[in-house]
């Protein structure tokens, strides 16, 4: 935070240019006597060799001669500050301002002391005075408001500076921190609406407002702003958000696809909005299957999305709809990039069961067994596949192997017993068939 605007200036306080002496600099001294001159230059010499106590003694002798000379108190403040005697430094700088209220350097000295002692509340008072000399100190005031958690004042000042000076990286960081708290979002939404009225061609205000509405789940308001953006700046990527919805409502799938692809290709648009658009297009595609190829292409935009595995989620969507072919298609697509996702593997094997593709089920289950040899569910699916293809001996062997890995999973144990009963039935072993079916029934009763 430390006064970035004036840092170089303050570091140069010991080498003050002549042009500034007329503003009340400490070396601008009227020499009243030889004694005064001797004491003052002795003070300067002692300060130069870091003998601050002796410098202070000499300055106090000067004050005895000229008790209302502001420069002497300023020099005392400097020496005390260099010794980190902050209260004495502050008192002497304050004395300067009482003698000469327009001496900016004394106010700067007081600000230095407040900052070094972390008295940010008092620093705010001092900086408000410094703003009368230099408007650039408003940047410091913004940082001080952040340090004292006066976020409402900080937000107002940030918006003022953004409007008058343009945005800065530091102010945008502060603003982002403030807006994480929902109670400040209302006023910021109002500010953005005002900015849009004043500058209807400034895209960033629309984007910020759409993002805020989206993050607070106000999707309808986000859409309204996007429509306004489309009207003012038709070439904007964000305008395509509303165009997509418009085309979809008009059942113009081809134009909706164009807008959707522009949205997905843009790095300016929030992922949450992209996911919502994909979900809407997914529902639309279910009624208009001629756009399935466009849906598949759209999923490619989300390949690197670590938060939501889009192909997998679409697979689940079709699974719930009992659309086994599409569920299979998207689960397989997901597994091309994440080939060790056990949950998806099990869902995919279930799809093969529903489609009665038992030969494929056997082959796919074997691949998963090789990857995860201690996961009993994969043995179950392969055993089921062997039973359905009348290969009862292999079914028995693989199911008995898988049973060894079962731990506290009653539902899977029931399924294993049923399939083992089927295997032994196919092998003609009635005794073991009845044993496994009976065990499955007992487990079912316990589960209920």
């Amino acid at each position: 935070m430390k006064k970035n605007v004036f840092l170089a200036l303050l570091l140069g306080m010991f080498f003050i240019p002549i042009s500034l002496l007329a503003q009340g600099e400490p070396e601008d001294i009227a020499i009243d006597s030889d004694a005064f001159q001797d004491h003052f230059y002795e003070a300067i010499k002692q300060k130069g060799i870091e003998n601050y106590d002796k410098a202070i003694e000499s300055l106090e002798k000067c004050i005895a001669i000229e008790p209302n000379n502001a420069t002497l108190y300023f020099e005392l403040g400097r020496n005390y500050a260099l010794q980190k005697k902050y209260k004495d430094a502050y008192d002497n700088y304050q004395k300067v301002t009482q003698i000469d209220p327009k001496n900016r350097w004394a106010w700067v000295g007081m600000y230095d002391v407040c900052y070094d002692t972390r008295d940010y509340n008092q620093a705010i008072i001092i900086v408000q005075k410094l703003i009368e000399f230099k408007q650039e100190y408003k940047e410091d005031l913004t940082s001080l408001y952040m340090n004292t958690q006066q976020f409402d004042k900080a937000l107002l000042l940030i918006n003022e500076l953004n409007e008058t000076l343009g945005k800065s990286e530091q102010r945008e960081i502060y603003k982002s921190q403030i807006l994480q708290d929902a109670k400040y979002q209302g006023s910021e939404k109002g500010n953005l609406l005002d900015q849009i009225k004043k500058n209807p061609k400034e895209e960033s205000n629309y984007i910020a407002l759409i993002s805020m509405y989206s993050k607070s789940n106000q999707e309808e308001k986000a859409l309204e702003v996007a429509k306004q953006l489309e009207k003012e700046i038709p070439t904007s990527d964000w305008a395509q958000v509303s165009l997509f919805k418009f085309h979809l409502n008009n059942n113009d799938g081809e134009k909706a696809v164009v807008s959707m692809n522009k949205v997905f290709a843009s790095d300016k648009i929030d992922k949450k909005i992209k996911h919502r658009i994909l979900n809407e297009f997914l529902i639309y595609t279910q009624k208009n299957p001629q756009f399935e190829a466009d849906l598949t292409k759209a999923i490619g935009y989300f390949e690197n999305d670590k938060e939501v595995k889009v192909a997998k989620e679409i697979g689940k969507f079709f699974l719930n709809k009992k659309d086994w072919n599409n569920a299979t298609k998207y689960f397989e697509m997901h597994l091309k990039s994440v080939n060790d996702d056990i949950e998806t593997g099990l869902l995919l094997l279930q799809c093969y069961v529903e489609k009665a593709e038992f030969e494929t089920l056997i082959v796919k289950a074997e691949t998963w067994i090789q990857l995860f040899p201690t996961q009993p569910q994969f043995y179950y699916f392969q055993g089921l596949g062997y039973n359905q293809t009348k290969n009862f001996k292999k079914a028995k062997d693989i199911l008995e192997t898988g049973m060894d890995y079962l731990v506290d999973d009653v539902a899977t144990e029931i399924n294993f017993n049923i399939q083992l009963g089927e295997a032994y039935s196919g092998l003609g072993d009635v005794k073991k068939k009845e044993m496994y079916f009976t065990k499955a029934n007992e487990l079912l009763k316990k589960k209920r």
Side-chain angles (χ1 to χ4, degrees):
M1 177 188 80
K2 182 64 169 169
K3 306 181 288 300
N4 45 17
V5 177
F6 293 97
L7 183 59
L9 177 63
L10 298 180
L11 290 174
M13 285 288 286
F14 298 98
F15 307 92
I16 300 170
I18 294 173
S19 61
L20 296 179
L21 297 183
Q23 299 180 30
E25 280 302 281
E27 280 80 3
D28 184 16
I29 297 173
I31 309 291
D32 290 337
S33 67
D34 290 341
F36 182 97
Q37 178 177 325
D38 291 343
H39 294 317
F40 181 76
Y41 284 112
E42 180 65 18
I44 297 298
K45 183 182 78 173
Q46 295 298 331
K47 184 181 72 174
I49 60 175
E50 300 183 5
N51 197 341
Y52 305 121
D53 287 331
K54 287 191 175 181
I56 289 167
E57 287 177 15
S58 295
L59 288 167
E60 287 174 343
K61 290 175 182 177
C62 290
I63 288 171
I65 300 169
E66 291 191 18
N68 291 316
N69 189 323
T71 303
L72 300 174
Y73 294 103
F74 187 93
E75 279 298 317
L76 274 176
R78 278 183 174 180
N79 279 276
Y80 281 125
L82 289 166
Q83 291 180 304
K84 300 189 185 303
K85 294 181 178 179
Y86 294 116
K87 185 180 184 308
D88 291 329
Y90 188 93
D91 289 345
N92 278 283
Y93 288 139
Q94 190 172 45
K95 179 72 174 176
V96 176
T97 65
Q98 291 167 353
I99 298 170
D100 179 11
K102 293 185 178 180
N103 189 314
R104 174 158 58 97
W105 306 111
W107 292 102
V108 170
M110 292 164 70
Y111 180 21
D112 278 336
V113 170
C114 291
Y115 189 87
D116 289 341
T117 57
R118 298 188 179 183
D119 188 353
Y120 300 130
N121 286 307
Q122 184 62 23
I124 288 172
I125 296 171
I126 304 301
V127 169
Q128 286 171 335
K129 181 66 179 178
L130 281 168
I131 288 170
E132 296 176 16
F133 297 101
K134 288 275 189 179
Q135 288 292 302
E136 287 90 335
Y137 275 108
K138 285 186 176 181
E139 296 285 4
D140 296 69
L141 186 57
T142 303
S143 297
L144 289 167
Y145 282 145
M146 292 298 294
N147 263 17
T148 54
Q149 298 186 347
Q150 297 184 62
F151 299 130
D152 51 345
K153 292 181 179 179
L155 187 58
L156 285 171
L157 187 53
I158 288 167
N159 288 333
E160 175 194 326
L161 293 173
N162 283 351
E163 188 170 358
T164 56
L165 302 177
K167 295 178 181 179
S168 74
E169 182 179 356
Q170 185 60 62
R171 275 185 260 121
E172 288 304 291
I173 291 171
Y174 286 153
K175 192 169 188 176
S176 177
Q177 291 171 355
I178 294 169
L179 294 179
Q180 287 177 12
D181 190 332
K183 72 180 179 180
Y184 298 108
Q185 292 175 6
S187 63
E188 177 58 13
K189 287 172 185 173
N191 169 64
L192 288 169
L193 287 168
D194 288 341
Q195 291 303 313
I196 287 170
K197 287 180 183 177
K198 292 177 184 177
N199 304 292
K201 301 300 181 183
E202 176 55 54
E203 185 187 43
S204 64
N205 294 320
Y206 295 95
I207 294 171
L209 189 55
I210 290 169
S211 178
M212 287 190 69
Y213 281 138
S214 178
K215 288 177 181 177
S216 58
N217 296 315
Q218 295 176 283
E219 297 295 346
E220 290 303 318
K221 288 189 175 181
L223 184 60
E224 288 175 15
V225 178
K227 285 180 180 178
Q228 188 177 349
L229 172 58
E230 171 200 337
K231 181 180 177 182
E232 296 292 344
I233 312 175
T235 57
S236 168
D237 290 341
W238 280 91
Q240 300 302 321
V241 173
S242 59
L243 282 170
F244 167 79
K245 186 75 173 179
F246 174 79
H247 294 316
L248 218 58
N249 289 340
N250 285 332
N251 199 30
D252 191 339
E254 291 183 2
K255 288 184 178 179
V257 167
V258 172
S259 291
M260 177 180 70
N261 289 336
K262 287 181 180 178
V263 169
F264 291 163
S266 173
D267 57 3
K268 298 178 182 178
I269 298 174
D270 188 82
K271 283 183 181 179
K272 198 170 183 180
I273 291 176
K274 292 181 179 181
H275 286 147
R276 176 176 62 78
I277 286 176
L278 182 64
N279 187 59
E280 289 175 358
F281 190 67
L282 170 61
I283 295 168
Y284 180 79
T285 302
Q286 207 181 4
K287 297 177 182 178
N288 300 272
Q290 68 269 30
F291 292 105
E292 284 182 4
D294 296 296
L295 177 63
T296 302
K297 180 183 175 183
I299 292 169
Y301 288 109
F302 299 89
E303 282 182 349
N304 298 320
D305 191 334
K306 295 180 180 179
E307 296 175 16
V308 179
K309 300 302 181 184
V310 173
K312 178 179 179 178
E313 293 307 311
I314 291 179
K316 286 182 177 180
F317 172 85
F318 283 118
L319 185 76
N320 290 331
K321 299 288 184 181
K322 301 186 187 305
D323 184 342
W324 313 118
N325 287 327
N326 272 319
T328 300
K329 173 183 174 181
Y330 289 106
F331 286 145
E332 287 179 341
M333 186 185 299
H334 168 70
L335 289 169
K336 285 179 181 178
S337 58
V338 189
N339 63 1
D340 59 350
D341 185 339
I342 291 176
E343 180 191 20
T344 305
L346 292 171
L347 293 173
L348 178 60
L349 295 179
Q350 183 61 44
C351 287
Y352 291 130
V353 172
E354 299 293 345
K355 296 195 303 176
E357 294 181 6
F358 299 114
E359 294 289 352
T360 303
L361 175 66
I362 292 168
V363 174
K364 295 288 187 179
E366 179 62 28
T367 301
W368 285 100
I369 288 170
Q370 296 303 315
L371 278 173
F372 300 99
T374 62
Q375 286 292 330
Q377 295 94 332
F378 296 128
Y379 294 89
Y380 160 74
F381 277 112
Q382 191 173 48
L384 185 154
Y386 280 131
N387 271 335
Q388 292 296 320
T389 56
K390 310 297 183 183
N391 198 335
F392 301 116
K393 175 67 168 61
K394 284 189 175 181
K396 175 189 77 70
D397 291 343
I398 201 71
L399 289 165
E400 287 177 342
T401 301
M403 282 279 278
D404 292 338
Y405 300 113
L406 270 174
V407 179
D408 299 327
D409 186 347
V410 175
T412 303
E413 188 177 355
I414 291 168
N415 289 333
F416 264 92
N417 280 291
I418 291 171
Q419 290 303 315
L420 277 166
E422 293 286 352
Y424 278 107
S425 176
L427 291 169
D429 191 333
V430 177
K431 184 177 179 181
K432 284 194 174 180
K433 177 191 82 169
E434 293 300 329
M435 180 187 78
Y436 282 111
F437 283 155
T438 300
K439 191 170 183 181
N441 284 328
E442 289 173 354
L443 289 168
L444 277 168
K445 291 175 183 178
K446 286 181 181 179
K447 191 177 179 183
R448 289 171 188 165

